[in-house]
Amino acid sequence: MSNHKPIVTYCGDEALFSALSAGLTCALPKEEVEWRRSYGRVPKTVNLDVIFIKFSVECLPKHPNLSVLDQPVFHIFWTDCSDIDIYRATTKDEISNWHTTLRNNGIIDWLIVVVLNSDSKRGKKSNILPRTSVVDKVKGDFCSKQNDRCFVLHEPFRSDVKSAESWQTFLQRLRHLILQGLNRNLSHFEENMRSQREKRTEPGWSFCNYFMLQEELAMVFEMMGQFEDALVQYDELDALFTQYVVNCSAGDMADWMVSFMRPCVCWDGLTLSPDLRYAKRENIQQAQSHLLDFRNYLFACQVALILKLQRPWEVAQRSLPFMHNCVNELCLLEIAMPRGSVSCWVFLSCLEVLDTCENYSNLVEFETYSLHTVSLWNYARIKLHELGELCGLMPDTESTSDQLHMVVDLLAGMGQTQSGNSGKPGPMDKLREALSSKESFKKHYLELSELAMGTFKHLGRLRNARLIGIELAAFFMKLGELYMAENYLLEALKMYKNEGWDLLATTTYISLAECHKKQKNTFKYVKACTHVTSSCVIDGDTRNHYFDELISAAQLLDKTVRIRAEHIFALSKMDVTAANGIILGDEVTVDFCIISRLPSDVMCNIACSLLHTAFEGQSDDGERPSSRTTSRSASQSSMGSMGSFMDSLSLSNSRSKMLPGNLIRKPKLRIQETIDEATGTAYVVCRNASAVLERMDSHPSLIQKDTDATKEDFVCCLQAAAIVLHPGSNLVPLKVKPEAKGNYALKQVCIEISSMEFLQWVTVPKCFDVICDEPSVSLTPDAGLLAGIVQNVELRIDSGSHGLVEGLVIKMVVSTGLSVQMKTSAATMLAETEDSLRVQLPAVSPGGSIVLPLDIVAALDSHRKHKVLFSLLSFLLDVFCIC
């Protein structure tokens, strides 16, 4: 039916036409001609190819408004009569009868061709010039008002210039007249079609009859090479039928719709082969077609036109919506179909479309082609999985007798559609093989899954690939291939966590936990349980179940498992008691606000490692060179502590690799702007494009794995034991007594529960300083004293970091010839000898001081340096005086 051509009749001298028909048939389509249609439509360029048939009354149209393809559009009378007497005797009557028959049937598209050849010029030459020729007679008798209806063809069998020009002129005239006749018939046909469309709301209107009318219009366009216009007609029919289905589902059902709603007994799938496709047209014409048969035929016609337009990718693009629409219409119309028959139809249709597209595609269009075919591969995979579950072909099930009968019924309902060509298995063969056994089903299901997943990855649609991976993981778990299932689940989990899909990530963790449980891998099972039980996006019963599983599994561990704690415990704030000015030997308390996401109370031990950094200028033994270098304001201490902490984090490359991703600084965009004043243009250049455009999932610090939980050195740490953490916020004090002075930065928190250690970095730097200033003594003035006279000096005693207790006794040992007298009541003189004094001091607060005024006299005969030695309890301090 796709080989339709305009029909042209011939009459008159059959021998003459037979001699010219071969050349005429070949010459007409060689040159393009402009096809101008009515109603101001855009002219199209076509190649006109026609079929010539012998004229008869039976071939004339009986119902000219009902068809275009099966009736002639133009009529030609051929004659090579050159004798006027013969013309009057026979030829005129033949032309007259032919012309009268056309006129009586209302046909005005005709042409009389008079062929003048060399034979007609031979013979006797009359001495009397003829008053008229045969051509003049023909024009006068039949073409008096239409001179273009008679054409004189000069010697078509010769190869001279004049004959060639006459032949080309004839071809141009004939093309033009045939298109005129086609337009006239087509206009009447379209008017009738539009009138039938307007009657669609009247009783007795049949969609099937109207479908045949508009499809014939599409065939006319296809016949003329206007495939785009033909496709539009089929699209309109598709939309019209869809609207009727929607109306039917809303309760407004047309009478003719009942024929499409019969129970379906055949689910062959799409048939895109022309020979098999047109066999269903007769059922539509007789209103005996089922919904699926009608949809199959309509879509097959659309596919044929799209392929002629050289757009195979559009076939794949239209296929998936078409199948979804068909499945939806079956539900809307409540058409009875056996279980699994729709899945069979979809599977067969997908493979038929894929095979067709593969035959018409090339490597240049591979990207566009794959963009749409990948969804078909995936849809076929889904439907095959449904059939596997229905027919008991899944690895964890055994087929029952009912399921075996179902397989037989499904295979019987596939009909007798031809299988693959040239030895290649077709869709029917593949489905029959897949439903034959579990091994065959596994083979075909995995093959489809790999094709779909691989194509999704190639196109960059990783989410779709991961979804298939999750379904494959479930399939492999049923097969017992737990290692393969684990790999697919981990790939999906990585994507969900990076993109923030909490619910999907938790669901994947549940599947991963089941996989690890079947593997009897308690170590990994515990980790998966922690993520599930701490998730806030699932119901409480599931969380409590996995919490109990977590506690039970942790008791079976033979070694400690370390887990990242960010998803289970959160550190909201940390407050350091006396964050500035902590004295060595004092107990430091840091209040941690820990938010527990576990669903129940849990007892644990908590510790926080400390990073100790010595003060600048501090000696190896921990002593400072001078007390004056230790004084810092609170802001200086805080900033200095933070700076030392961040500097310590970057001491080595290995240590920075252990930090979580949120402590790694992301590269800043460095843009260089350049302005060209000569041309008036400006452009910017990214100087670090490779760093800025680096893939997020390829950066090692941005992919947090449970195996990355590395425990720091907890020799120096804050800690608390037997702490009960409740769900929600908990205030936990951790204490430590520093053993050395310096700066201490909070680094990593460890929460120990049974054999599990939950580790978390302190992301917000928090520091405190531990100081220790020893008591000191100074003498003012400390030099330039004169001998022989009383000198007034002051002895200043600084208490240091710990202060001086009340009743502390100091002993002053002086040189021979040096006399010391104390002139204050702040201290009590206990004993005085020639070479020493003992003084009892009052209490002095930490960081305070006391000043003792002294009178010092040195003998005149002594010209040496004198030394005063002070002893405070168990340690000595030396002060020198120059006399």
Side-chain angles (χ1 to χ4, degrees), residues 447-519:
E447 179 182 351
L448 288 175
S449 300
E450 290 297 331
L451 277 171
M453 186 165 59
T455 310
F456 274 131
K457 289 181 179 179
H458 174 76
L459 297 173
R461 297 169 62 178
L462 295 181
R463 293 193 183 108
N464 297 84
R466 298 296 181 253
L467 289 176
I468 297 177
I470 289 179
E471 296 183 14
L472 279 177
F475 187 79
F476 280 117
M477 287 179 66
K478 294 177 181 179
L479 282 174
E481 299 181 16
L482 302 177
Y483 177 74
M484 295 292 295
E486 181 184 7
N487 289 338
Y488 284 120
L489 290 173
L490 288 176
E491 288 179 358
L493 181 62
K494 171 185 171 182
M495 183 190 69
Y496 293 151
K497 290 176 68 176
N498 289 343
E499 296 184 359
W501 300 97
D502 296 334
L503 180 58
L504 294 177
T506 303
T507 305
T508 307
Y509 267 121
I510 293 176
S511 302
L512 201 57
E514 297 302 319
C515 181
H516 294 324
K517 188 174 184 179
K518 291 182 178 180
Q519 289 177 327

Side-chain angles (χ1 to χ4, degrees), residues 749-815:
V749 175
C750 175
I751 302 176
E752 182 182 355
I753 304 174
S754 185
S755 298
M756 300 176 292
E757 291 182 349
F758 298 93
L759 303 173
Q760 182 175 359
W761 294 94
V762 178
T763 56
V764 180
K766 199 72 176 180
C767 314
F768 60 87
D769 287 344
V770 176
I771 59 176
C772 181
D773 290 339
E774 302 292 346
S776 60
V777 179
S778 60
L779 196 64
T780 306
D782 58 356
L785 299 180
L786 302 177
I789 62 174
V790 178
Q791 303 287 305
N792 296 323
V793 297
E794 291 182 351
L795 178 66
R796 179 184 179 89
I797 303 175
D798 294 317
S799 64
S801 299
H802 297 277
L804 302 179
V805 297
E806 185 176 3
L808 179 67
V809 177
I810 65 172
K811 180 181 179 181
M812 265 186 298
V813 179
V814 298
S815 303

Side-chain angles (χ1 to χ4, degrees), residues 245 249 291 324-335 337 342:
V245 173
S249 65
L291 175 67
H324 287 164
N325 182 55
C326 287
V327 174
N328 185 43
E329 288 179 350
L330 290 172
C331 297
L332 291 177
L333 299 179
E334 299 179 355
I335 297 177
M337 294 190 69
V342 176

Side-chain angles (χ1 to χ4, degrees), residues 374-386:
V374 62
S375 299
L376 294 177
W377 288 116
N378 189 39
Y379 200 25
R381 178 193 63 84
I382 293 173
K383 292 305 176 182
L384 184 61
H385 187 273
E386 292 179 3

Side-chain angles (χ1 to χ4, degrees), residues 115 191 219 270 283 450 492 638 687 696 863:
V115 179
E191 289 177 3
M219 290 180 178
L270 276 174
N283 292 335
E450 290 297 331
S638 176
R687 308 300 298 177
M696 297 290 288
H863 300 285

